[in-house]
Amino acid sequence: MSLTRRQVTAAGLAAVPLAGRTPERKRTLYIAGDSTAAQKYADAAPETGWGMALPFFLRNEIAVSNQAVNGRSSKSFVDEGRLDAVLGTIRPHDLLIVQFAHNDEKSDDPTRYTEPWTTYQDYLRLYVEGARAHGARPVLATPVERRRFDADGNAVPTHGEYPAAMRALAARERVALLDIEALSLALWQSLGVEATKTYFNWTATEQDNTHFNPPGAIAVARLVAQELLRTRVLARHDVIRLHKDIPTSWITWPPAS
């Protein structure tokens, strides 16, 4: 499947080498994922991927290359050559965060569907092995939860066996795991039915319980940064503003091309 001009440009920018780069200097944190993490453009505002907010919690010594793309699964990201593109630019001591499941779950679409305990794990292993082969560190992130409540107002999980399958693979392969599914579910529970609407892409014309607006993206990015610290993927001096308010005005949407 051919890449759009926007995607080619983004990949090209990520591929520009840093002059004089050494392991002690600037590292790049790559994100491979779907629309919940992806960069959004002006034509999609106020929809916001959590990857757009993650840099607010990291020191400037860590660059973020957000390669997440709308609609991709662990399988289609690989089949379209996107993992190869990441591995073509990733360097020793860089990080690769991998978050998929939303589209892996679509059993009616053979181009994206994976089965949790077999093909899903098989594809995730390609990311793990690919990053390690290039001296980079893979990090698995369970999929952020959708906004769904039962009749009693309890936040309910929506990802079936996929989070458990990822947790099992992370343990088996000794890969750092960011349990964003469990943490986001707990966050939605604490906020409740009505307050969570202010975190998702609810507008006058849309009631989107999957994608975020700026407050939601910032909240999920904070969870990611906290987990990177908890799992010791990043050191304390690598993360900032974990307990500070982030103005939503910091979120910007580049012009759509």
Side-chain angles (χ1 to χ4, degrees):
M1 183 174 183
S2 61
L3 303 182
T4 66
R5 180 182 303 174
R6 178 189 299 165
Q7 292 157 354
V8 170
T9 301
L13 290 174
V16 175
L18 298 173
R21 178 176 178 147
T22 66
E24 293 74 30
R25 297 182 67 186
K26 198 158 193 170
R27 289 177 290 166
T28 299
L29 184 156
Y30 290 83
I31 302 172
D34 54 38
S35 58
T36 60
Q39 173 70 54
K40 309 298 179 179
Y41 294 83
D43 56 351
E47 186 177 324
T48 311
W50 63 255
M52 296 167 63
L54 186 59
F56 304 149
F57 298 101
L58 305 178
R59 293 201 178 276
N60 290 335
E61 289 74 16
I62 300 177
V64 175
S65 178
N66 188 356
Q67 300 299 314
V69 182
N70 291 3
R72 271 52 182 190
S73 70
S74 65
K75 177 184 188 301
S76 63
F77 195 93
V78 170
D79 291 347
E80 293 174 7
R82 298 178 188 279
L83 176 58
D84 285 341
V86 170
L87 297 180
T89 62
I90 205 166
R91 298 190 180 193
H93 306 283
D94 285 344
L95 305 171
L96 174 59
I97 296 180
V98 183
Q99 183 209 250
F100 290 104
H102 284 80
N103 299 299
D104 289 73
E105 300 163 10
K106 297 182 177 180
S107 58
D108 59 345
D109 184 352
T111 66
R112 294 187 287 182
Y113 177 65
T114 61
E115 194 282 328
W117 295 100
T118 55
T119 48
Y120 180 59
Q121 290 186 330
D122 291 340
Y123 276 100
L124 291 179
R125 196 175 289 107
L126 296 178
Y127 297 80
V128 171
E129 294 174 351
R132 285 174 168 168
H134 288 79
R137 182 170 185 178
V139 180
L140 296 176
T142 54
V144 62
E145 268 299 349
R146 302 177 176 94
R147 177 185 173 274
R148 185 175 297 176
F149 291 84
D150 64 18
D152 295 321
N154 297 308
V156 296
T158 67
H159 292 299
E161 293 294 309
Y162 291 87
M166 178 180 279
R167 293 180 190 114
L169 178 68
R172 185 163 63 247
E173 299 293 332
R174 299 184 179 181
V175 179
L177 178 80
L178 317 182
D179 204 347
I180 306 305
E181 187 270 340
L183 292 171
S184 58
L185 186 67
L187 178 58
W188 309 149
Q189 178 67 43
S190 69
L191 290 168
V193 175
E194 291 303 316
T196 47
K197 293 177 182 178
T198 66
Y199 283 65
F200 284 79
N201 190 33
W202 274 54
T203 67
T205 59
E206 188 171 13
Q207 296 179 354
D208 183 345
N209 293 311
T210 298
H211 304 100
F212 309 110
N213 61 12
I218 290 169
V220 175
R222 191 189 306 273
L223 295 179
V224 172
Q226 290 172 336
E227 282 287 270
L228 288 169
L229 178 61
R230 182 191 65 80
T231 56
R232 298 184 180 181
V233 172
L234 295 181
R236 186 64 190 86
H237 64 266
D238 292 324
V239 296
I240 56 177
R241 305 188 187 99
L242 285 183
H243 306 291
K244 295 183 178 181
D245 289 336
I246 303 295
T248 57
S249 60
W250 288 9
I251 298 287
T252 59
W253 297 266
S257 57

